[in-house]
Amino acid sequence: MTSSGVRHEASPSTPAALPRVPPATRREDLVTVLFGACLTAGAMSDGWAHSNIVETIEGFFTPWHGLLYAGFVATAAWTFWLAYQRRDAAPRWWRDAFPPGYRVGAIGAVAFLIAGLADMAWHEILGVEVGLDAEFSPSHLLLDASAVLLLTSPLRSWWASGERGGRSATGVASLALGVMAPSILLTYASAFLTLAPTRPIGAAGTQQAAILGVDAYLITTLVLVGPFLLAHRRRATPGAATTLAAGVALFDMVMHEFPTPQVWAALGAVCGAGLADVLLLRLDAIRGRDAALRLPIAGALLSGLMVAGHLAGLALAAGIGWTPEVTAGVVTLAALLGTLLGGLAARPAPTPDPADPARIPPPADPARIPAPAGPAGAAPVVADPVPPAPADPGR
């Protein structure tokens, strides 16, 4: 077969033409997590200010915004520094030299900067938002979404490495920071702050409050269980569910200065998540990572135990006013929602391709076909072997 003599150059978009960038080390991921924690702490302090001393905030330039944007600058600068360090592998380092998992974080850093400038203009022109205005402000929503992309770079780096041990710790911490970021905009619908189960259900007004309480449990289940399942489907990691629940609960408690009934309820939810961690690790050890319905079971266990633990904490701190039907029903509803989330997060089973030659069984060897059994007591009949084909005299 002759060659055409034409040399085909690899397209710049093909994987063969992409530079091989060294992955981030465990230490580099740890530094990213620490800077991300500073950003999250700044967001937490700003949320506390909006919830408790909003009347003293007069514009964009506040100490709490200073903490928030200082954490952002540190995290964003470190993300781009990681790419600059790998400029030998990719001369266009600002585009191609990011370690696996960090390119999306760099996009989040640019989006966060744009959203921050928009938020400054919003504050200076329209003033300081209060209540739902702060939670639905377009600049705040963009800040929140871009922060999730930036904070979860170590999580994607962990997934790309496939490592365990110390890399798992930074991955889970990054996952928790990424889930904590939306908490500042969801306090109006957070189960960690609701006291609805402590109020009796009677008149129409109290029934509406109970409905909002049930909604809070379902929204919190979505926020916590969905990200957990995305990590759990790759591998079971000790403490993943506990870290997620504790991080979001801490965020809410700090913003509202640790109200006593909610603190007890949050501790109950964290204990429920811890129990789910133990049970899921044990189930994986017994059934394996490829067991049927692994993720739906994980979603049901975490959702049900977390909501049950939260209700138990409220019962100890302030008592339960809901009827047994509503109390048990909200646990069941959360478990059903977790089951649905697990089904959606599961990888689809591969379907065999009828045209795949590897799946077509080879033809049976006539010499190995068993002969039919003879009469009872008779010697077994042995099939005569197939004689070999006669030699071709032409050869």
Side-chain angles (χ1 to χ4, degrees), residues 210-233:
I211 291 172
L212 294 177
V214 172
D215 291 344
Y217 280 112
L218 297 182
I219 292 174
T220 304
T221 298
L222 284 171
V223 170
L224 289 175
V225 178
F228 168 79
L229 290 171
L230 292 178
H232 186 69
R233 78 173 184 175

Side-chain angles (χ1 to χ4, degrees), residues 24 36 44 55 59 102 115 123 154 158 160 164 197 241-242 250 300 309 319 326 361 371 383 387:
M44 195 182 302
E55 65 277 359
Y102 277 81
H123 275 279
W158 170 46
R164 298 177 181 269
T242 308
L250 176 64
V326 176

Side-chain angles (χ1 to χ4, degrees), residues 161-235:
S161 70
E163 297 180 20
R164 298 177 181 269
R167 206 57 169 269
S168 299
T170 56
V172 170
S174 174
L175 176 63
L177 292 176
V179 176
M180 289 168 68
S183 299
I184 192 172
L185 303 183
L186 291 174
T187 54
Y188 68 94
S190 174
F192 292 113
L193 294 174
T194 184
L195 288 175
T198 64
R199 303 185 179 99
I201 300 177
T206 56
Q207 288 190 1
Q208 183 64 29
I211 291 172
L212 294 177
V214 172
D215 291 344
Y217 280 112
L218 297 182
I219 292 174
T220 304
T221 298
L222 284 171
V223 170
L224 289 175
V225 178
F228 168 79
L229 290 171
L230 292 178
H232 186 69
R233 78 173 184 175
R234 288 165 171 84
R235 65 184 64 90

Side-chain angles (χ1 to χ4, degrees), residues 209-280:
I211 291 172
L212 294 177
V214 172
D215 291 344
Y217 280 112
L218 297 182
I219 292 174
T220 304
T221 298
L222 284 171
V223 170
L224 289 175
V225 178
F228 168 79
L229 290 171
L230 292 178
H232 186 69
R233 78 173 184 175
R234 288 165 171 84
R235 65 184 64 90
T237 307
T242 308
T243 304
L244 281 176
V248 175
L250 176 64
F251 204 108
D252 288 344
M253 296 304 105
V254 168
M255 286 181 59
H256 293 270
E257 298 183 331
F258 295 92
T260 301
Q262 288 92 330
V263 168
W264 280 100
L267 289 174
V270 172
C271 289
L275 179 58
D277 267 330
V278 174
L279 293 176
L280 293 178

Side-chain angles (χ1 to χ4, degrees), residues 39 68-69 72-73 107-118 142-148 150:
L39 190 158
L68 169 65
Y69 285 98
F72 158 70
V73 169
I107 296 173
V110 175
F112 195 101
L113 177 60
I114 296 173
L117 295 174
L142 183 56
L143 279 170
D144 200 62
S146 53
V148 173
L150 181 59

Side-chain angles (χ1 to χ4, degrees), residues 80-81 83-87 90-98:
F80 280 92
W81 171 250
Y84 182 73
Q85 283 184 314
R86 291 158 173 79
R87 62 191 181 278
R92 296 181 179 180
W93 62 268
W94 60 89
R95 190 189 69 178
D96 299 327
F98 291 98

Side-chain angles (χ1 to χ4, degrees), residues 284-311:
D284 270 11
I286 296 174
R287 303 178 73 233
R289 288 178 52 190
D290 298 324
L293 301 178
R294 175 176 176 266
L295 289 183
I297 292 173
L301 276 175
L302 177 56
S303 304
L305 289 174
M306 193 167 57
V307 172
H310 189 271
L311 290 170

